[in-house]
Amino acid sequence: MPGPAPRLAALLWALLIASAPAAAAWARPVGTADGPADVALAVGLTTAAAVATGLWLRSRYRRDEDEGDRGTEGGDP
């Protein structure tokens, strides 16, 4: 059983998508997003997405400790 990490990652993604405001599309330019707050928001959202993805991947591809797939240290095949 993989544990609660996949559910947590799915919940974080759902909250991220649900909290994003739906903006109306305009045909004219509205300005640039180069301010410090915009950069901080982009970094924060990217970090949150990376953490959620990392937790999901970690839970999905975790090895069991009993497998013994740690490699050979003595040089024996």
Side-chain angles (χ1 to χ4, degrees):
M1 187 157 210
R7 288 186 218 126
L8 178 64
L11 176 65
L12 289 175
W13 274 112
L15 289 174
L16 178 68
I17 291 170
S19 67
W26 293 327
R28 65 183 198 278
V30 293
T32 61
D34 292 335
D38 296 322
V39 172
L41 178 64
V43 169
L45 288 176
T46 304
T47 302
V51 167
T53 304
L55 287 173
W56 175 73
L57 286 171
R58 181 176 179 235
S59 69
R60 183 170 174 96
Y61 296 107
R62 182 178 293 174
R63 292 184 185 175
D64 291 333
E65 293 293 326
D66 299 333
E67 283 185 25
D69 288 339
R70 296 183 184 189
T72 57
E73 296 178 7
D76 295 343

